[in-house]
Amino acid sequence: MRRFPTPPKKLLAALLGPVPVGRRQAIGLSERLSAATSLVSGLEFLSDRSQIRPGGLNDWSINRELYADCSRPVRKALDILAHERTTTALYAARVAASAALLLPGEGRWRGAANLFLGLSGAALYPHHRLGSDGSDQASGMVQTATGLARLSTSPQTQDALLWYVALQSNLSYLVSGWVKLLGRDWRTGAALGGVLRTRTYGERHLWQLTRRHPRAARALAHGVLALECLFPVLYLRGGKLARPVLATTVSFHLANGFVMGLGRFVTSFAAMHPMVAYTSTPAHHPAVAGRDDRAPRAAALVLAGGVALAGALATARRLRVTDGWPGTEWVTTRHGNRLAYDTTLSADGSGPVVVFVHGLTALPEHFGWLTQTLRIRSAHELLTYSRAGYGPSRYAGTRPYTLQESVDDLVDLVAQTVPAHRQVVLAGHSLGGELARRAAVRLGDRVHAVVYLDSSHPAELHRSEQQDESARRLTGAIRTFTNSLRMGMGVLLNRPSWVDNLPRPFRARALQQYADARMWQAGQREWRATEQDFRGHSGELPPVAAHALVLSAQHTVDRDPEQLLLHRELAAAHRGAGRVVQETVIEGADHDSLLTRAEYALQAGERILAFLDSTAHRPGTAGTASPDRTPAREVS
């Protein structure tokens, strides 16, 4: 007697299993969905061209500065493409090609139309200040792949292209999910409410629902994490989970499109799903008969080779960084930390020694323009060093880290390297300014002056809303960078523009250290201690009996007027009889370019030289308490 499946089994059979899509069907569905994306994108541009006109977000007269290093022919081509008439014509052609691809048919002209959309999208990319959004990038990738597949007569080539898009789709969800997982807000479930609260992507009523039902909001956030981090499970057991995973993913994009206004993301990312369905269907299924599955194996081999290469490069970089540089010297501090430093100190030198203290996740090389200026324009002797864990310096880690440990290290460095009869000028940038201030209190009359270079202030997380918000984002950013570099992904790191803004002798050293996970681990350790220290701060700053120069970056104080008040408090802590206290804003500079851009760093250097000249014959520290005389280990 024949058995019929029970209703629950029927339902389960309908919900589970692969989505059998043939090769031509996958190409056709993908190209139409991506064509819908580019059609909407083109119509949006043609209905409002204000963004490319003077003063708009994508004003080419401003954006073209990003391509100043390109060759003349490339710049000329970009200028032509950026002309309003050219851009308008391209978008009009894209609208026509997209509309044509939505029509039925299987002709080879569809391949040419897809390729045109992919290539024209790439040509328009440089004219977007922030780059084209993820929907345009995804649709461009699909259009290029489907265009090549349409024009190819080889099923093996077509399958390789479909596998390429499917693997890219898996990678996009995986990266998005695991990056979210590194962020504390996503793990706790608070991220969903945070997104819905924003002006750009938020929705007030849904945000209120997350406030009233935090458990449901947390479950939904964790569901998003699980969906993205585990997206590739749809390939397991013959694609048994393909239907629920793809259905849930489409629902996720539909919800984002409705709530966050990301309508184009629905069609752009869904355009990759037919190829995912095609490649996740078991090879023995009639719908995918003859499918060539060599592409994922080739990708796995390339990935393994890339991982091996990344590991070898990371190891070589680590050895190069920890060896130090020609002329590097070392001291061991009371905490067992071994600090690497470079100095121009001479046996017969006189006058204060300028000691530079770098910022959080920054390097001594950031002071390149300043040290060159002082060496060329004056007789001042200089000392730069790497804090424990940065560059060649070693962190002993014998107890829980606090900022006091870095202050102790700086005090010990001065005690062991600068002759007892000479004073020092402590020049600190960002967090380095706060460490210099605390060390100056400890060093007493050994400090001639403190130079604050857009310095941190221990009360900034309490009094500055912008600093408080930036601090919350910084935690996740440092963690992401650290974990990525520890996994050997430094080989994929884009060369930061600030590296090329440094003087040429400092660039290679800066890049090697920037791409080394040790620096970011040290920064992560310092940031945890800094946030705890700053959030626990109360009261006024203690007086510092030394001259002071407070240099502020214009962008810092313009964006956050409270920061200017905090910098004035740093200056006020130094005021006293006989002391020179100066405050200056470097116009046009931001927090980092104050050091890394020659035009601003040279201005800062001139101000420092003038300040040191004005204090040359004014001790300003008479009557101060005795300096810190804590014994330190001998130079090693």
Side-chain angles (χ1 to χ4, degrees), residues 46-199:
L46 293 175
S47 64
D48 180 13
R49 288 176 282 173
S50 61
Q51 289 192 355
I52 65 169
R53 290 171 178 162
L57 177 64
N58 296 319
D59 181 356
W60 180 243
S61 63
I62 299 174
N63 291 356
R64 72 193 308 269
E65 295 179 6
L66 299 174
Y67 300 90
D69 293 335
C70 294
S71 64
R72 186 184 302 173
V74 172
R75 295 200 307 271
K76 184 66 175 178
L78 290 175
D79 287 339
I80 294 172
L81 287 170
H83 194 281
E84 184 174 353
R85 283 180 293 185
T86 308
T87 304
T88 302
L90 271 177
Y91 271 108
R94 285 173 60 82
V95 167
S98 301
L101 285 170
L102 293 175
L103 299 174
E106 293 291 331
R108 289 173 64 84
W109 64 269
R110 303 182 73 90
N114 275 309
L115 276 181
F116 166 74
L117 290 173
L119 294 174
S120 60
L124 291 168
Y125 180 87
H127 305 108
H128 295 264
R129 180 172 302 177
L130 303 177
S132 55
D133 63 26
S135 65
D136 290 330
Q137 294 167 17
S139 62
M141 178 186 65
V142 172
Q143 285 158 351
T144 303
T146 53
L148 292 172
R150 285 285 190 189
L151 295 174
S152 174
T153 58
S154 167
Q156 292 80 10
T157 301
Q158 293 175 339
D159 284 343
L161 290 164
L162 267 61
W163 266 111
Y164 168 74
V165 174
L167 292 172
Q168 286 283 2
S169 177
N170 280 268
L171 187 62
S172 67
Y173 289 114
L174 274 174
V175 171
S176 177
W178 286 98
V179 168
K180 287 187 178 75
L181 193 62
L182 295 175
R184 182 177 180 274
D185 286 348
W186 277 100
R187 295 198 303 273
T188 62
L192 183 62
V195 172
L196 293 173
R197 189 182 181 184
T198 62
R199 179 175 298 178

Side-chain angles (χ1 to χ4, degrees), residues 23-45:
R23 183 186 297 118
R24 298 188 70 83
Q25 189 180 6
I27 293 173
L29 288 170
S30 291
E31 73 178 0
R32 285 173 172 83
L33 286 167
S34 60
T37 305
S38 53
L39 176 64
V40 173
S41 175
L43 291 174
E44 286 177 351
F45 171 83

Side-chain angles (χ1 to χ4, degrees), residues 281-478:
T281 300
H284 58 76
H285 196 286
V288 297
R291 187 183 66 201
D292 189 331
D293 291 336
R294 288 179 294 176
R297 290 193 290 271
L301 286 174
V302 171
L303 178 62
V307 169
L309 176 62
L313 291 175
T315 301
R317 184 186 301 114
R318 173 69 54 82
L319 292 173
R320 181 69 191 89
V321 168
T322 54
D323 279 347
W325 320 105
T328 296
E329 299 183 59
W330 309 81
V331 299
T332 302
T333 71
R334 71 188 76 179
H335 296 287
N337 297 327
R338 192 163 184 255
L339 305 185
Y341 70 95
D342 295 278
T343 183
T344 62
L345 270 168
S346 60
D348 57 350
S350 61
V353 178
V354 184
V355 180
F356 288 93
V357 189
H358 62 79
L360 181 78
T361 63
L363 308 163
E365 284 71 23
H366 276 83
F367 296 112
W369 288 114
L370 289 182
T371 55
Q372 281 197 351
T373 299
L374 267 62
R375 291 180 67 176
I376 294 171
R377 299 286 307 278
S378 74
H380 291 290
E381 294 181 329
L382 316 176
L383 186 150
T384 60
Y385 78 104
S386 300
R387 284 200 298 279
Y390 286 79
S393 295
R394 310 293 175 86
Y395 174 67
T398 57
R399 62 183 67 184
Y401 173 82
T402 66
L403 290 185
Q404 187 58 45
E405 184 171 333
S406 288
V407 175
D408 291 342
D409 283 354
L410 177 53
V411 170
D412 290 352
L413 176 72
V414 170
Q416 296 187 49
T417 59
V418 180
H421 67 280
R422 297 182 65 179
Q423 290 187 307
V424 293
V425 174
L426 301 179
H429 173 246
S430 193
L431 177 63
E434 174 60 13
L435 297 177
R437 183 188 66 80
R438 297 185 185 193
V441 175
R442 294 270 303 281
L443 288 166
D445 57 12
R446 290 218 62 186
V447 179
H448 176 76
V450 180
V451 177
Y452 298 95
L453 299 161
D454 214 41
S455 176
S456 300
H457 185 294
E460 62 187 28
L461 300 187
H462 291 296
R463 291 170 47 184
S464 169
E465 183 177 345
Q466 179 174 312
Q467 288 288 348
D468 179 58
E469 183 179 345
S470 297
R472 298 182 190 281
R473 292 197 302 267
L474 184 61
T475 301
I478 294 179

